[in-house]
Amino acid sequence: YRCSFFYFHFSKMIEFDVTPHLELPDLSNCTSKLIVEGQPVSCPRMTHRDKWAKRKVVLNYFAYRELLQINAKLQNFELGDKFFALFVFEPPKSWSNKKRKESIGVPMIQKPDCDNVTKGLLDSLKAEDKSVWHIIVKKIYGEKGMTIILNF
C-alpha cells in the first residue's frame, strides 16, 4: 500500500511515492506553498573563525539560505507560524542504482537531523522565529533534492 504526494512545478507534475507511515498533514487547507529545488542543508555550528576562514559547510549553508530567500521572494511566499516542511534528499551516490531506486520516498534516518535543517529554514525565512508554534517536518529520499514548505 502506497500513497502519492503530488506537486506542480513549472508546468510539469512530479510525483513522490510516500509510504503510509509518513502521515502527511491535511493539505486541503494549505494557504501558501514554497518549492525550492536543491539539496537541503542543515545549520552548522559556527565559530568566530568562520568570519575569515570560510569552511565549505558554512559556505554551503549560506548558499542554501540565499536560495530559499530568493525563491520565497520570487514566489511571494512568507513563512507562517504554522507550517509543514518536507525535505527531500538525494540518496548517496555511493549506493547501487537498485538501492537508490528503492530508497525513493523512504524516510531518511541519517544526518542531517530534522532540527538542524529546520533551524536553517527558520533562519532563512523568518526574522523572528519566536512566533512559530506548530511545525511538522519530514525527511525523505527522492530523485532530486528539494524543500517543500506548506503554510496551513
Side-chain angles (χ1 to χ4, degrees), residues 42-57:
S42 67
C43 181
R45 177 166 286 148
M46 290 188 250
T47 64
H48 289 291
R49 187 172 189 268
D50 288 324
K51 289 182 181 177
W52 68 85
K54 304 290 186 192
R55 293 182 297 153
K56 185 178 178 183
V57 67

Side-chain angles (χ1 to χ4, degrees), residues 22-96:
L22 282 178
E23 296 179 22
L24 295 174
D26 180 19
L27 304 177
S28 61
N29 56 1
C30 171
T31 58
S32 60
K33 67 181 175 186
L34 175 68
I35 300 166
V36 179
E37 291 189 15
Q39 189 80 348
V41 179
S42 67
C43 181
R45 177 166 286 148
M46 290 188 250
T47 64
H48 289 291
R49 187 172 189 268
D50 288 324
K51 289 182 181 177
W52 68 85
K54 304 290 186 192
R55 293 182 297 153
K56 185 178 178 183
V57 67
V58 175
L59 294 175
N60 289 343
Y61 169 67
F62 282 120
Y64 176 66
R65 277 183 62 172
E66 194 172 307
L67 181 69
L68 285 174
Q69 291 167 349
I70 289 170
N71 277 280
K73 192 171 279 191
L74 289 174
Q75 297 180 37
N76 292 324
F77 179 82
E78 188 172 323
L79 188 63
D81 299 335
K82 180 180 174 184
F83 65 90
F84 165 71
L86 177 66
F87 297 105
V88 182
F89 291 85
E90 289 182 37
K93 299 208 184 302
S94 60
W95 288 3
S96 68

Side-chain angles (χ1 to χ4, degrees), residues 107-138:
M108 181 182 167
I109 55 173
Q110 297 174 337
K111 286 187 177 185
D113 298 340
C114 279
D115 56 335
N116 292 334
V117 181
T118 305
K119 176 72 173 144
L121 173 74
L122 288 170
D123 288 347
S124 302
L125 300 179
K126 202 86 163 149
E128 287 287 328
D129 59 6
K130 64 183 177 186
S131 64
V132 176
W133 64 276
H134 187 87
I135 304 172
I136 301 171
V137 179
K138 307 287 183 189

Side-chain angles (χ1 to χ4, degrees), residues 13-24:
M13 186 176 72
I14 297 175
E15 177 184 356
F16 288 101
D17 286 330
V18 182
T19 52
H21 62 276
L22 282 178
E23 296 179 22
L24 295 174

